[in-house]
Amino acid sequence: GESVGLHLPTLSVQEGDNSIINCAYSNSASDYFIWYKQESGKGPQFIIDIRSNMDKRQGQRVTVLLNKTVKHLSLQIAATQPGDSAVYFCAENVGGSQGNLIFGKGTKLSVKP
Amino acid sequence: EAQVTQNPRYLITVTGKKLTVTCSQNMNHEYMSWYRQDPGLGLRQIYYSMNVEVTDKGDVPEGYKVSRKEKRNFPLILESPSPNQTSLYFCASSFRGAESGYTFGSGTRLTVV
């Protein structure tokens, strides 16, 4: 598979445990945030998003929390499964409709069976 | 199936030999973008396009060209590839730019020798 990052922070969890992946974003004007999952050999896949007028959003087994005071975003994965093993990126939009997403470096999640 | 299609998936070429990586999306998205992904550096934007005949430089445009003659296609052109352009390339598209999530292609692994 493709190596997307040789120096990524790594989170190792046991199958069935909950995972929390953190991201510090850079711009207090950012108004839209996305979490992406990238499996080995594949392109990034959209997981969940949140706008700055919210502080929490839930999906299927995933929850995103946004703390604008400290510019922090987290992704919680419930009952982590081996298929969750991947690199996870956060992305922020600072420019509204004319902006571009700025991506974090990523965190590698490894799930031990 | 809604998707972004990149070709080729893998390419090995020699320094100076012009090449084109194609990207096509079938979702009628206005926004398209090219990224390169390198270990330790994350996703870096090369060029983007807000609509047909509208293209702009991203963070690392040197050595690349793009065109957007029609909505669905956004080819990436390397006029004279060099070894420092060896990388994993991703095309992405979006309905409303950074205000909605990007859909990524599967990637093109380019090696320039």
Side-chain angles (χ1 to χ4, degrees):
Chain A
E2 303 290 359
S3 172
V4 300
L6 297 180
H7 307 289
L8 291 176
T10 299
L11 174 65
S12 185
V13 301
Q14 203 70 39
E15 181 179 359
D17 288 352
N18 297 333
S19 303
I20 300 177
I21 300 171
N22 296 305
C23 177
Y25 64 92
S26 58
N27 196 316
S28 56
S30 295
D31 59 2
Y32 178 57
F33 305 87
I34 307 175
W35 279 100
Y36 282 90
K37 172 186 180 183
Q38 187 175 21
E39 297 174 273
S40 182
K42 297 183 179 180
Q45 296 172 275
F46 176 98
I47 303 173
I48 191 168
D49 60 0
I50 188 168
R51 301 206 179 267
S52 58
N53 60 353
M54 304 171 68
D55 53 23
K56 180 179 180 179
R57 189 156 188 239
Q58 288 184 289
Q60 187 176 16
R61 277 202 311 119
V62 294
T63 301
V64 55
L65 298 177
L66 175 62
N67 185 330
K68 294 181 286 292
T69 303
V70 295
K71 293 189 288 185
H72 184 266
L73 196 65
S74 69
L75 176 71
Q76 300 178 1
I77 304 173
T80 314
Q81 303 168 0
D84 295 326
S85 294
V87 175
Y88 290 82
F89 299 94
C90 65
E92 62 182 301
N93 175 28
V94 304
S97 62
Q98 299 302 309
N100 292 288
L101 288 179
I102 299 172
F103 290 85
K105 297 281 194 295
T107 296
K108 184 176 181 179
L109 175 65
S110 294
V111 182
K112 295 176 287 187
Chain B
E1 180 188 352
Q3 60 186 356
V4 176
T5 303
Q6 293 178 230
N7 280 297
R9 188 84 167 85
Y10 298 93
L11 179 60
I12 300 174
T13 191
V14 296
T15 300
K17 185 176 182 181
K18 181 180 178 180
L19 67 91
T20 299
V21 184
T22 63
C23 175
S24 180
Q25 50 93 5
N26 62 0
M27 296 166 281
N28 202 36
H29 285 170
E30 292 189 347
Y31 178 95
M32 297 186 75
S33 181
W34 275 102
Y35 288 85
R36 61 178 289 174
Q37 187 175 45
D38 302 287
L41 298 177
L43 285 160
R44 294 182 293 166
Q45 190 177 48
I46 303 171
Y47 269 94
Y48 66 99
S49 169
M50 289 289 187
N51 213 326
V52 176
E53 301 293 0
V54 179
T55 62
D56 282 292
K57 295 178 180 179
D59 298 319
V60 289
E62 293 77 22
Y64 304 95
K65 285 174 57 177
V66 292
S67 68
R68 189 87 184 276
K69 294 185 171 59
E70 51 192 340
K71 204 171 194 179
R72 64 182 293 128
N73 295 322
F74 191 45
L76 179 69
I77 303 155
L78 284 71
E79 294 272 3
S80 183
S82 62
N84 65 11
Q85 292 178 298
T86 292
S87 187
L88 179 57
Y89 291 86
F90 289 103
C91 181
S93 73
S94 170
F95 177 62
R96 275 192 319 176
E99 288 194 319
S100 52
Y102 293 176
T103 300
F104 283 86
S106 298
T108 296
R109 168 60 75 180
L110 173 66
T111 302
V112 183
V113 298

